[in-house]
């Protein structure tokens, strides 16, 4: 029986070599790094989503503006469309710029972008080409500020469409 007990003690010594808490200590040392990486990845995804939303807002405003000649000359409605499209972002700034030309027989002459301009171009056998340039921007603040990263991100969207009137 003593031989049997000695054999059990030898077996227990082999299985318990003092490394029982090593995995727990390694986990405690590595877990903060994993948490910081997870929070950073979540912030990156959030900012990327906001960037897509700002870009889509510019595109939708330009698509609204290029429906016809009257919507092309309505910057207030295009700004409203951009704000509605970026509903998750509170502060979307939209600017609308125009560049018009009277195109007749392959020659383009710059003109003022007004509704009356289409009448003067069509009498000469041409048509008005309006280039809409929509620029959107929004500031996004991170939920958790990580050292080395900015406090706010300025995201920009840009879309250009051509309208024939």
């Amino acid at each position: 029986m003593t031989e049997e007990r000695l054999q059990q003690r030898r077996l227990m010594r082999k299985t318990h070599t003092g490394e029982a808490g090593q995995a727990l200590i390694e986990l405690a040392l590595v877990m903060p790094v994993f948490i910081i990486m997870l929070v950073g990845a979540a912030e990156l995804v959030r900012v990327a989503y906001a960037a897509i939303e700002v870009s889509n807002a510019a595109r939708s405003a330009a698509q609204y503006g290029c429906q016809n000649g009257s919507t092309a000359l309505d910057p207030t409605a295009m700004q409203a469309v951009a704000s509605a499209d970026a509903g998750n972002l509170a502060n979307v700034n939209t600017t609308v710029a125009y560049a018009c030309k009277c195109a007749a027989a392959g020659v383009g002459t710059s003109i003022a972008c007004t509704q009356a301009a289409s009448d003067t171009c069509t009498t000469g056998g041409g048509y008005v080409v309006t280039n809409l340039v929509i620029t959107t921007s929004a500031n996004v603040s991170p939920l958790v500020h990580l050292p080395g990263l900015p406090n706010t991100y300025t995201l920009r969207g840009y879309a250009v469409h051509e309208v024939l009137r």
Side-chain angles (χ1 to χ4, degrees):
M1 183 135 223
T2 354
E3 185 64 36
E4 204 172 295
R5 265 189 172 167
L6 285 173
Q7 201 172 22
Q8 284 178 351
R9 283 187 181 174
R10 285 186 201 130
L11 182 62
M12 288 186 73
R13 277 190 208 143
K14 286 182 182 178
T15 57
H16 298 290
T17 58
E19 297 179 6
Q22 180 180 354
L24 186 61
I25 291 173
E26 288 175 0
L27 178 68
L29 291 174
V30 173
M31 188 59 89
V33 175
F34 283 148
I35 290 173
I36 289 173
M37 287 174 57
L38 183 66
V39 169
E43 282 297 321
L44 180 66
V45 167
R46 194 172 152 270
V47 170
Y49 176 75
I52 292 169
E53 208 165 337
V54 168
S55 178
N56 285 344
R59 189 175 303 118
S60 67
Q63 286 175 348
Y64 172 81
C66 73
Q67 289 179 24
N68 56 42
S70 62
T71 58
L73 297 176
D74 191 3
T76 308
M78 285 186 267
Q79 290 169 344
V81 167
S83 294
D85 191 68
N88 293 336
L89 299 175
N91 55 353
V92 177
N93 300 322
T94 306
T95 57
V96 180
Y98 299 99
C100 295
K101 63 182 177 182
C102 187
V107 178
T109 307
S110 293
I111 58 171
C113 292
T114 62
Q115 193 66 37
S118 62
D119 297 334
T120 59
C121 267
T122 54
T123 56
Y127 53 92
V128 175
V129 177
T130 304
N131 288 321
L132 292 174
V133 180
I134 311 292
T135 306
T136 55
S137 65
N139 292 329
V140 176
S141 299
L143 295 175
V144 177
H145 178 68
L146 297 174
L149 295 178
N151 291 333
T152 59
Y153 301 101
T154 301
L155 308 172
R156 290 180 173 74
Y158 184 77
V160 177
H161 276 278
E162 190 172 85
V163 183
L164 303 177
R165 298 191 279 146

